[in-house]
Each structure stands twice: as structure tokens, then as C-alpha cells.
Amino acid sequence: MDRPRVAIFDFACCEGCQLQIVNLEEELLDLIDNVEVVEWREAMSEQSREYDIAIIEGSITRPEDEKRLEIIRTRAKTLIALGACATIGGINKLKNNFEMSDVKKCVYGKSADMPHLETMPTKAVDEVVKVDYKIHGCPIDRKEFTYVIRCLLMGKKPEIPEWPVCVECKSKGNPCLWDYGQVCLGPIIRAGCGARCPSSGFRCFGCRGYIDDPNVNGAKDVIERYGLSVDALKAKMVLFGIGQGPTNA
Amino acid sequence: MRTVTIDKNAFRRFVDEIIKRQRVIGVCAKGDRFDFEQLESADQLRLDYDVTLQPPKKYFLPPVETLLTFEVGDGYKSVYDDTPFVLLGVHPYDMVALNQLDTLFTQDNYDTHYMKRRHNATIVACDVVSPSKNVFASSMGTATVKDGFDVLLTDIGNAFVMESGSKKGDRFIAKAQGAVDSSEKDLQARQKIQAENEKRLNNHKLKCEASYLPKLLERAYDHPVWEEKAKTCFSCGSCNLVCPTCYCFNVQDDVNWDFISGKRQRAWDGCLLDGFTKVAGEHEFRKKRADRFRHRLYRKCKYVPEKISSQIMSCVGCGRCVGACLPDIANPVKVYNRLVDDLGIK
Ligand code: SF4
Ligand code: SF4
Ligand code: SF4
Ligand code: SF4
Ligand code: SF4
């Protein structure tokens, strides 16, 4: 088969997810054998204008980024959002809690009004263009990434869990952290990470985004039963919970 | 088949001897809870436990297992787990659950993966010493168990009574240094403990005979309780995943980078999960939370007992789902009692 042409682009992010790809080790060779990487700033200098698969890392935080992303979309047959920044806006959505002018002043000080420093409320990739597949997590899971790519190469729909983190947590036999006073977001967050955080004793803070149909009534009921307030829950969700849309692709 | 008595020190030495020869899985402390784990020493064993976090089914139906490997043009090879092991400390309600799974996994399609592990296991059950907070096995008729185990242990104070329930059990007991045929007095002590357990493992009390539940449910399909409870259901499947009698699984293939070879795996699934009933064409026939919530409680006390013609229900009263459900709606007794209150016993 012709090797599909793949391009990887980064927007506002820490590039940690690309680093996960670089760190694939032996699987990186399998990947390179099966696709032709035509653009990838993190690992090569060539640039291209045509690609079968565009992989987008990072969230959209400036008007010019929106235009750049739209152009990428027109050139790509398939578009993948990579990592929490791209799939749900990620950490960058914290900024949406503030006025944009204040944000600019805080970051750029006196230069805040320079025209090239225009900013806007953070958007996830699918708030700007159509996304075909999402690879969740902050950072992404390497195994899940290569699985999705293999599925794409076979023309098969990857199976990304629609169920919450509790499923993986319970399969591992973990005691529930709620019983130990932690406000764990597991019941409303998409599984797929193998319940990474609760398995190490830390509550899930939601980096894989909500499941398709999170039960808000359930969440309210539980925080009341555990003697917490809705504000307490919101406070726990700031890192990844702001203005999130559905996370299914 | 023999019944012997062995004092606790001799029993500990006996377990250490088995550990030297074989994989022994027993109940250990896990923080302030308990779970099955591979033993390195008999000192880890805690037969006074209340309930384990996970039911013992995972040693026969693991959370994820590889069923076969395949290669295009070269067919497939089944993958089996073939190590003999001893499972030490299975409570009666969990033993009843395993007996049901044995029937289910041999009834329509003989499940070679499950049964290989089952044949490799020596199951040592044990009568309950400390009832858990949510146990209601007495209500379900599963507080004691009469068959299925290879050995049944009962703690009678300074010693264990060990009853063999199979040829495997006979061989197991024969190796126990210091075990003597149980005296009449020991057997009476055991009898007393079992009779007490049949009453006291009852922290949620069912208001009808368990065997009446299939008939009760016949009249309850459109009852408002399903909608009411399911309003706060997360569809998190915790109630399925901790249940000793939930056995649904999902099968998935993963293809290697050569695109001709790969493996087929199965993983636990749960009827409460969104997407559980999704079939080809994205059609989903139990899309509503309430329908899924109802399904589990029908399955436990109507569908499965009817399928395997069992007088004992498929909810064995372990109470795990009660503690695992964050919005506290999963308790089967609360739901069934509500139906008894509203619909009466006819
Ligand atoms: S999702 Fe997390 S790891 Fe990935 S780029 Fe964004 S901040 Fe970095
Ligand atoms: S610790 Fe979190 S993920 Fe695990 S069962 Fe509890 S709520 Fe769910
Ligand atoms: S447990 Fe939650 S926060 Fe942790 S990796 Fe998984 S989804 Fe992200
Ligand atoms: S009944 Fe409880 S444990 Fe079961 S899926 Fe609903 S919320 Fe989760
Ligand atoms: S339904 Fe609940 S109480 Fe009954 S056997 Fe399953 S987990 Fe135990």
C-alpha cells in the first residue's frame, strides 16, 4: 500500500504529547515504516502542503491560529486531535475564566497592545474545525496512539472507551478514593488511561474529558451525600473542566 | 470424604508447605480493606476478613485476557493459562457465585478458557468470621455453602474444621500434617457457627423469600422505581464490576504493525455502561439509564436464575455493589423491598 502522508502540527501546548510520540522507541520505527511523515517541527525540518492525516496538538488561542487550522483542515483527508489541549482545550482553557485584556496585561505587561499579541478565549480543535478522531489525555497514552494509527491504516474505526474511569479503576481492584475523602472525577471522565491516577492513590482530575453523557444529577447528589458543595466540585474541576464540549469524535 | 480438625499453628505450617510447591492465592489485608492476592507466607492470610474488594471470579475470568493469537494465512492459536493454583478463603456467597458461573460457562457454549482455569484450581472455601457492613447473604440463602468447594474451612476458635468436598479436596487434606478426624464436639461447634451465620449475615433484610423474587419481578417491569433510582446513576458500571456473578465481556482484536498478525482479547463489560447494547449500525437498544438499571436487577433475580433453573438467585448478597455505588442506588434489597411494599406478595 502507498504509505499515507502524515503531518503533525502544534498549537498552544507544552508539546508533551509529541514527546510521547518521539518516545515511542521501537514502535516509532514501525510507525515510520508505515507512514510518510511530511511535516513535523519537533523532529524534522521539511514542510509540505498535502497530507492524508493531519495530527493537531495544542489548543487554539489566537485568531491567526484559527485561520492556520482551517487551512490545514482543507488539506487533510483525516484530522486527529492529539492530547487534552487539542481535544478539550486542556489547561489553556483556564484563561477563559478571565477578561482577555487582563490576560494580555498579565502575560505581556506593557507590550500587551501590540497587534501581533492578539488573543482570544481558548478553543478545543473541534470548536474550530471538524475532528475525525480524538486521542485523549494529558499527556496521551502511547499505546492508545499507536492503536488508533493502526486502525486508521486498516480503515477500521478505533474503539475508544465510552465508559468512565471507574470501570478501569474497579477492574484493577482499587478501593474508591471517595471513601477516603478525595473528590475523584472518575465517574464522569472517559476511561482509556487504565485509571492511571486513582491506581496511584490520586483522584482523577479529568484530563481525558467528560464521557458523552455525564450524569449531572448524580454528581450533585454525590457531593451532597459526601457533605461537599457544588462550588467545591467546581473548584476541583478547574484544571480540565472549563467550558468543555462533548469529547466523542 | 473426610472432615478433619487442625489447630491453627499446624494450619499455618501446612499453608507454608503448599506455598513452597504451588501458586497460592489467599485473602490479605489491603490498607484497611481486604483482597485476594498471591501469598508469599501464611502470615499474610486473613481468614477473619469481612469481604474482599474484588470477587474471586477474576481468577477464572480475568479483567482482560488474550483468547487467541492469529496470523493471516496461518490460522489461529488459542492461548491458555495452565498453572495450577490454590484459592484460599472463598466465602460461601462467593462460592455459590462461582458454582453459578460454572453452570453458565458450560451451558450453551463450553468456555474452554474459563474451564481450564477452573480445573486447575483447588478452591478452599471458608465460613464467614466477620460479617461485612453490607452483607445480606442470609436473605439470599447463601450464608453457608454445601457444594462446589474442594475444601471448606470453619474457624472454631483455636482450630479449623476442614471438610473435603471432592477428590481434589481429599488429596489436599491428606497432606495436612497434624490434622485429625473431627470430634463430635468440633462438628457441633461448626454446626453452631453455620446456623448462626445463616441468620446474622443480614445487614439488609429482604422482605420476602429470595425464591419469590422472579415472580415479584414479573409484575414490576413498569414500576416507577427504575426511573427514580436511575436519575442519579452515573452508568459507571461499578455495580457490575464488583459483582461475583456478573460475567459479561467484550471481545476486541488488536492487529500488530505487520498488519497480518494480532491477538483477540476479552475484557469485562457491564450492562450498566452506555454502549453495552450497541450493535452494528450504532443501534443501541437500552439507551436509557433506567432501562440499564432495571436490567441488572432483573438479571440477578429473574433472568439468570431462570436460565440455569436455580432456586438460588444470582444476587448472592455479598453487598459489594452497595458499597461501590457512589449515589447509593445499587442496593438490590432496597429496590426489591420497595417493590414488595408497593406490589405486595401474591
Ligand atoms: S495535552 Fe498535556 S501533555 Fe499534551 S501538549 Fe497539552 S499540556 Fe502538554
Ligand atoms: S476512585 Fe475514582 S475512578 Fe476509582 S471508583 Fe472511585 S470515583 Fe471511580
Ligand atoms: S485518571 Fe483521570 S486525570 Fe488521571 S490520566 Fe486518567 S483521565 Fe487523566
Ligand atoms: S447503579 Fe451505581 S454503581 Fe451502578 S452504574 Fe449506576 S451509579 Fe454506577
Ligand atoms: S448484585 Fe450486588 S450484592 Fe448481589 S451479588 Fe452482585 S454485587 Fe453482590
Side-chain angles (χ1 to χ4, degrees):
Chain A
M1 81 186 148
D2 263 353
R3 292 190 305 160
R5 296 160 64 83
V6 175
I8 304 176
F9 302 95
D10 49 75
F11 287 81
C13 64
C14 80
E15 299 182 16
C17 288
Q18 289 190 51
L19 205 59
Q20 292 295 319
I21 304 179
V22 179
N23 288 344
L24 279 171
E25 293 165 7
E26 73 267 35
E27 270 199 280
L28 186 60
L29 298 178
D30 290 321
L31 178 70
I32 304 288
D33 276 349
N34 284 286
V35 301
E36 189 187 343
V37 182
V38 291
E39 180 156 344
W40 187 6
R41 200 177 54 80
E42 182 125 327
M44 59 192 278
S45 53
E46 286 103 280
Q47 287 191 2
S48 174
R49 293 185 164 271
E50 271 170 51
Y51 16 83
D52 298 298
I53 302 171
I55 297 176
I56 310 293
E57 184 199 36
S59 44
I60 310 308
T61 57
R62 298 180 305 180
E64 61 260 44
D65 289 346
E66 241 173 325
K67 291 202 193 77
R68 181 173 161 231
L69 180 60
E70 276 158 9
I71 294 167
I72 294 171
R73 177 72 259 194
T74 60
R75 291 176 183 166
K77 290 197 190 104
T78 303
L79 186 138
I80 300 176
L82 183 78
C85 294
T87 58
I88 58 175
I91 305 257
N92 299 321
K93 277 218 171 177
L94 276 175
K95 124 173 161 188
N96 299 7
N97 287 334
F98 308 95
E99 286 296 328
M100 287 307 116
S101 51
D102 293 345
V103 170
K104 273 202 296 186
K105 250 182 240 139
C106 174
V107 176
Y108 300 113
K110 281 200 212 90
S111 326
D113 291 329
M114 309 272 282
H116 67 285
L117 295 179
E118 205 39 58
T119 193
M120 65 179 205
T122 300
K123 289 180 180 176
V125 173
D126 70 351
E127 291 174 74
V128 181
V129 296
K130 180 175 172 283
V131 170
D132 300 301
Y133 296 102
K134 289 178 181 173
I135 299 175
H136 297 282
C138 175
I140 56 155
D141 180 279
R142 284 179 244 170
K143 288 267 168 264
E144 189 175 12
F145 172 76
T146 56
Y147 163 74
V148 171
I149 298 293
R150 284 199 302 275
C151 285
L152 276 180
L153 294 179
M154 287 186 290
K156 192 178 127 183
K157 187 172 179 266
E159 298 208 25
I160 303 300
E162 319 173 47
W163 49 84
V165 177
C166 295
V167 172
E168 292 171 337
C169 191
K170 284 286 185 295
S171 300
K172 293 204 162 164
N174 297 330
C176 182
L177 293 171
W178 280 84
D179 294 344
Y180 299 89
Q182 292 200 41
V183 177
C184 177
L185 300 184
I188 49 173
I189 300 300
R190 185 182 303 278
C193 59
R196 217 187 297 168
C197 301
S199 301
S200 334
F202 302 105
R203 63 188 192 86
C204 167
F205 52 92
C207 80
R208 290 180 61 91
Y210 296 138
I211 46 170
D212 297 345
D213 187 14
N215 191 340
V216 181
N217 288 329
K220 280 192 193 135
D221 178 78
V222 169
I223 42 187
E224 267 166 38
R225 281 198 334 110
Y226 281 79
L228 297 159
S229 66
V230 176
D231 285 340
L233 184 71
K234 278 194 186 143
K236 300 284 177 192
M237 300 190 53
V238 287
L239 214 46
F240 284 104
I242 294 142
Q244 232 188 73
T247 56
N248 60 322
Chain B
M1 270 170 252
R2 279 175 78 198
T3 302
V4 298
T5 299
I6 182 167
D7 84 66
K8 285 190 171 168
N9 284 329
F11 180 75
R12 204 174 302 127
R13 286 193 296 274
F14 173 45
V15 172
D16 276 328
E17 277 307 307
I18 317 170
I19 291 173
K20 280 186 205 152
R21 294 192 309 265
Q22 231 180 13
R23 189 159 97 103
V24 180
I25 289 147
V27 179
C28 305
K30 185 168 174 179
D32 55 357
R33 312 283 265 276
F34 297 95
D35 212 352
F36 288 96
E37 251 167 67
Q38 183 158 345
L39 296 183
E40 278 157 27
S41 143
D43 293 337
Q44 290 168 277
L45 193 62
R46 286 290 301 274
L47 293 177
D48 61 337
Y49 77 98
D50 55 357
V51 65
T52 53
L53 281 162
Q54 283 188 312
K57 73 172 176 194
K58 68 174 172 185
Y59 294 102
F60 307 100
L61 183 69
V64 187
E65 72 178 305
T66 300
L67 297 176
L68 55 88
T69 56
F70 56 83
E71 185 163 335
V72 177
D74 192 31
Y76 68 90
K77 268 191 218 81
S78 292
V79 178
Y80 293 111
D81 195 349
D82 242 346
T83 357
F85 65 99
V86 177
L87 190 57
L88 199 54
V90 175
H91 273 169
Y93 49 79
D94 278 340
M95 191 64 237
V96 173
L98 285 174
N99 291 343
Q100 290 186 7
L101 293 188
D102 290 352
T103 309
L104 288 158
F105 278 104
T106 49
Q107 196 179 42
D108 302 327
N109 295 304
Y110 186 92
D111 192 296
T112 47
H113 298 269
Y114 175 94
M115 286 311 286
K116 266 254 160 46
R117 294 195 184 88
R118 192 63 188 81
H119 288 309
N120 273 319
T122 303
I123 300 187
V124 181
C126 84
D127 279 312
V128 177
V129 175
S130 328
S132 72
K133 190 171 104 203
N134 289 315
V135 69
F136 55 96
S138 304
S139 280
M140 305 311 288
T142 56
T144 56
V145 63
K146 299 275 170 280
D147 53 22
F149 52 81
D150 296 302
V151 176
L152 174 67
L153 285 177
T154 313
D155 185 334
I156 54 163
N158 50 2
F160 288 111
V161 171
M162 287 205 284
E163 174 190 333
S164 162
S166 68
K167 290 216 174 69
K168 233 190 248 172
D170 286 345
R171 289 195 295 274
F172 186 86
I173 283 182
K175 290 186 204 125
Q177 300 271 335
V180 294
D181 283 318
S182 297
S183 66
E184 203 46 46
K185 193 169 135 260
D186 293 348
L187 291 178
Q188 272 168 12
R190 177 173 88 144
Q191 176 54 37
K192 186 162 167 267
I193 287 164
Q194 290 177 341
E196 274 169 14
N197 276 357
E198 275 166 18
K199 295 209 182 66
R200 76 175 177 138
L201 306 188
N202 216 15
N203 289 330
H204 304 282
K205 291 177 192 65
L206 189 65
K207 290 182 179 171
C208 66
E209 290 294 320
S211 56
Y212 178 69
L213 290 168
K215 287 197 100 161
L216 176 69
L217 288 171
E218 250 167 47
R219 297 182 284 129
Y221 204 75
D222 295 317
H223 194 276
V225 71
W226 314 117
E227 282 285 350
E228 280 166 31
K229 293 267 179 191
K231 246 186 232 148
T232 54
C233 173
F234 282 120
S235 301
C236 71
S238 291
C239 49
N240 294 127
L241 294 155
V242 299
C243 181
T245 63
C246 272
Y247 60 93
C248 287
F249 54 80
N250 189 17
V251 176
Q252 249 193 55
D253 288 350
D254 192 5
V255 176
N256 297 331
W257 275 110
D258 60 11
F259 295 100
I260 54 166
S261 67
K263 60 180 180 227
R264 174 161 298 175
Q265 291 188 306
R266 74 167 159 196
W268 289 353
D269 204 339
C271 58
L272 267 289
L273 302 177
D274 193 8
F276 178 75
T277 57
K278 204 181 265 179
V279 291
E282 303 283 299
H283 179 66
E284 193 171 346
F285 53 87
R286 273 196 299 275
K287 183 74 197 154
K288 279 170 58 196
R289 278 184 219 282
D291 293 351
R292 298 196 296 270
F293 182 84
R294 175 177 59 198
H295 183 76
R296 182 179 75 102
L297 290 158
Y298 265 72
R299 212 170 147 77
K300 295 296 156 199
C301 293
K302 181 167 166 63
Y303 302 152
V304 175
E306 283 174 359
K307 179 174 161 59
I308 60 174
S309 322
S310 168
Q311 282 302 305
I312 296 182
M313 298 297 105
S314 241
C315 168
V316 295
C318 73
R320 289 186 182 91
C321 63
V322 181
C325 177
L326 281 174
D328 192 20
I329 51 173
N331 187 340
V333 177
K334 278 199 187 156
V335 175
Y336 297 140
N337 280 352
R338 164 83 185 278
L339 295 175
V340 171
D341 288 346
D342 287 4
L343 304 174
I345 297 172
K346 281 186 200 156

